[in-house]
């Protein structure tokens, strides 16, 4: 692990005033821009501060080092995905399993790959900033929402909703990883999304006692 990322800690403080929130948002957006432009090895807090239009001192009020800065950017990215998935799970309650499956996986991939370059860049630093812990938090959070949605499906379920949610999350994570590791994620996106929808809905049909054929 690069020395600059060895000591990753959480932000020093959370913004309270609107002005402070705007500064943090600008810093995190600048972090993504610099990360995409020069890569994780050449990213520095000085470069990020300059891109954000704030002093290095202001940056250090919230992010004590490079690792905490990258971790916060990753967390913000995962938060956006989680919020979108939670919203669609709420919207799909009471619908058919096919409608649920299509909306769930399409929304997840859409937000996961909203900006392909940024997503790939964040994926490249995830292991340096204990990204697994951030992902685990979001996985637990989203499982609750997916289970709650599945329990309201129009079709009677013959499979435990908890197991269904775990399987769906596993498949979505696997496909998103394939996209992030692809030579040209944008070129693969539509094809992979289409096949994921087909796979998901076939599985959900079986979970309601139907046949995948």
């Amino acid at each position: 692990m690069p020395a600059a990322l060895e000591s990753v800690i959480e932000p020093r403080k959370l913004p309270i005033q609107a002005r402070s929130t705007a500064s943090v948002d600008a810093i995190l957006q600048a972090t993504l821009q610099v990360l995409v432009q020069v890569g994780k090895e050449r990213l520095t807090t000085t470069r990020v501060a300059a891109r954000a239009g704030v002093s290095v001192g202001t940056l250090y009020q919230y992010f004590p080092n490079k690792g905490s800065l990258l971790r916060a950017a990753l967390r913000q990215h995962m938060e956006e995905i989680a919020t979108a998935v939670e919203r669609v799970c709420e919207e799909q309650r009471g619908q058919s399993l096919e409608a649920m499956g299509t909306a769930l996986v399409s929304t997840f991939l859409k937000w996961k790959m909203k900006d392909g370059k940024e997503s790939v860049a964040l994926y490249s630093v995830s292991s340096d900033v204990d990204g697994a812990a951030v992902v685990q938090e979001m996985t637990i959070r989203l499982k609750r929402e997916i289970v709650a949605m599945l329990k309201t499906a129009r079709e009677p379920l013959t499979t435990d909703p908890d197991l269904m949610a775990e399987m769906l999350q596993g498949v979505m994570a696997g496909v998103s990883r394939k996209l992030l590791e692809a030579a040209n994620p944008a070129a693969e996106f539509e094809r992979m999304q289409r096949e994921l929808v087909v796979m998901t809905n076939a599985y959900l049909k079986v979970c309601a006692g139907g046949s995948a054929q």
Side-chain angles (χ1 to χ4, degrees):
M1 181 183 296
L5 302 186
E6 285 181 355
S7 178
V8 178
I9 61 178
E10 295 296 330
R12 280 200 168 100
K13 64 178 182 178
L14 296 176
I16 298 176
Q17 299 179 347
R19 183 175 179 180
S20 298
T21 300
S23 294
V24 170
D25 288 343
I27 290 168
L28 293 179
Q29 186 56 46
T31 299
L32 290 173
Q33 293 171 354
V34 174
L35 181 62
V36 170
Q37 183 178 16
V38 305
K40 65 179 182 180
E41 300 298 340
R42 297 177 61 198
L43 182 146
T44 64
T45 52
T46 301
R47 279 181 166 168
V48 170
R51 177 64 65 91
V54 301
S55 68
V56 174
T58 296
L59 185 150
Y60 283 143
Q61 288 180 21
Y62 303 102
F63 305 104
N65 57 28
K66 174 178 173 177
S68 66
L69 191 57
L70 289 170
R71 184 180 173 86
L74 177 62
R75 184 179 291 279
Q76 183 184 65
H77 173 67
M78 296 303 300
E79 178 67 33
E80 290 178 351
I81 297 169
T83 299
V85 172
E86 286 173 335
R87 185 184 307 116
V88 80
C89 284
E90 179 68 28
E91 292 171 351
Q92 290 299 314
R93 291 191 181 192
Q95 300 301 313
S96 67
L97 286 172
E98 181 177 3
M100 289 178 177
T102 300
L104 174 64
V105 300
S106 297
T107 298
F108 175 80
L109 284 187
K110 173 186 175 182
W111 283 86
K112 183 70 175 178
M113 304 301 295
K114 183 178 67 170
D115 187 308
K117 291 182 179 180
E118 289 184 0
S119 296
V120 170
L122 286 170
Y123 180 67
S124 74
V125 305
S126 179
S127 61
D128 297 327
V129 296
D130 195 19
V134 176
V135 172
Q136 181 64 13
E137 286 179 26
M138 296 302 172
T139 298
I140 294 171
R141 171 177 161 184
L142 292 184
K143 180 183 175 182
R144 290 194 296 266
E145 295 300 319
I146 296 171
V147 169
M149 175 186 71
L150 291 172
K151 286 181 176 179
T152 70
R154 293 176 182 175
E155 302 92 330
L157 302 179
T158 58
T159 304
D160 180 8
D162 282 76
L163 176 59
M164 292 170 66
E166 289 178 5
M167 294 300 295
L168 291 174
Q169 286 182 291
V171 172
M172 290 190 298
V175 171
S176 68
R177 180 170 182 173
K178 290 289 291 184
L179 282 170
L180 291 168
E181 294 176 352
N184 188 349
E188 295 290 325
F189 181 82
E190 288 189 10
R191 181 173 69 90
M192 296 291 281
Q193 177 177 261
R194 182 176 63 250
E195 295 304 305
L196 179 58
V197 168
V198 171
M199 181 185 300
T200 296
N201 286 334
Y203 170 69
L204 292 176
K205 184 176 181 180
V206 173
C207 290
S211 171
Q213 298 297 324

